[in-house]
Structure formats: structure tokens, C-alpha cells
Amino acid sequence: MQFDTPHLIRYGITALVIGLILALRIRRMSKARPLTLERLWIIPTLYALLVASLFVQAQPSLGGWALCAVALAVGAGLGWQRGKLMQLSVDPVTHQLNQKASIGGLLFIVALIAIKFIGQAEGSALHLDVMLLTQAFGAMALGLFSAMRVEMYLRGKRLLARARAAL
């Protein structure tokens, strides 16, 4: 059995960095953070620009566009579910909306990143179009981030309306 040491080192360092970031993020997740509904559009907009730049760099074929459209739809469905995992609450006194992330949602994102990383690393060896794979994962992530924030926005608006109506 022969090992490819540079790849093993790269995978090990990547796993270590992701593990460290994950540990720090899980520690912060136990605290509720303020949620401003008016700012939920910012991340999806920035990510849409990033994904658009991927499509400007290399135009996919018709089949590639179809794959990216399916990835966007799958990402939107997964994002909606991830948005539901976010715990939203309203402070009864100040009516401040707060969010608390779920560990399940974070682990889901880490799994997607790992799949993308492995796919890109092994894509050329498997004769996959790495750029198309990157575009499809970008479209999926765009759907995920956008739908997650739409779900949080709608639920947050309902929670705030109920809290204000209870006055």
C-alpha cells in the first residue's frame, strides 16, 4: 500500500483547521445573538455576486446550466430546512429578535464543504469538470443561504407581530 504523503498532509491540515473553527463556532452557538431582519439580504446578495462571477469565468453547457438549476433548487430546499433549525425568540420587554444557531445546521454546512473539497481534490482524477462542480456547489450554496434567510425573515416577522399584538 502506497500513501500520497502531500495529499495526506493537506487533508490533515484542512481537517485540523475545520475542526478548530468548528470548535470555536460551537462554543459561540450557545449564546443568543441579536437578529436584524433588515440585514438578512446582505449575505445572499454578496454570495450571488460571487456565484455570478463563477458563471462569468466559464459559461457552462446547457446540461451544466440544468445541473446548476437543480443544485440551486436542492440548496433552496435544504436552506429552508436549515432556517427552521435556527432558534428565533423575541425578548418580551424590548421586542428584540434573537437567534440561536443549531449544531445540526452547522454540521450540515461542514458536511457540504467536505463533499465539495473532496470533489474538487479528486475531480480531475475522476475526469470530472471541476469548474462545473464548483459552479453547481456555488448555486446550491446560494439557494441554501437565500432560502434559509427568507424562512428566518418570515418567521421573525410573525414572531415580532405576535409579540407586539400581545401588548
Side-chain angles (χ1 to χ4, degrees), residues 50-154:
L50 177 69
V51 171
S53 73
L54 289 174
F55 289 108
V56 168
Q57 288 176 20
Q59 289 267 332
S61 65
L62 185 60
W65 281 113
L67 175 68
C68 290
V70 168
L72 181 70
V74 167
L78 295 172
W80 193 267
Q81 292 304 313
R82 184 168 187 254
K84 286 182 174 184
L85 292 174
M86 300 294 281
Q87 298 172 13
L88 302 184
S89 62
V90 178
D91 185 295
V93 176
T94 64
H95 291 153
Q96 170 64 48
L97 190 61
N98 296 304
Q99 71 175 347
K100 189 175 177 185
S102 73
I103 293 175
L106 180 64
L107 293 176
F108 174 75
I109 293 293
V110 170
L112 286 178
I113 291 169
I115 291 168
K116 180 186 180 297
F117 181 75
I118 291 168
Q120 282 186 320
E122 303 300 327
S124 58
L126 298 173
H127 304 292
L128 297 175
D129 184 350
V130 176
M131 186 59 170
L132 179 59
L133 186 65
T134 301
Q135 291 168 331
F137 270 103
M140 187 169 85
L142 176 61
L144 189 138
F145 293 144
S146 299
M148 181 183 87
R149 281 167 172 75
V150 167
E151 195 282 334
M152 290 172 61
Y153 177 83
L154 295 173

Side-chain angles (χ1 to χ4, degrees), residues 21-32:
I21 291 171
L22 188 59
L24 293 172
R25 182 74 177 124
I26 287 173
R27 200 175 98 208
R28 282 187 35 207
M29 287 174 61
S30 64
K31 300 175 186 170

Side-chain angles (χ1 to χ4, degrees), residues 36-47:
T36 307
L37 293 177
E38 295 79 20
R39 293 186 186 158
L40 286 175
W41 63 272
I42 295 172
I43 296 294
T45 302
L46 293 174
Y47 206 78

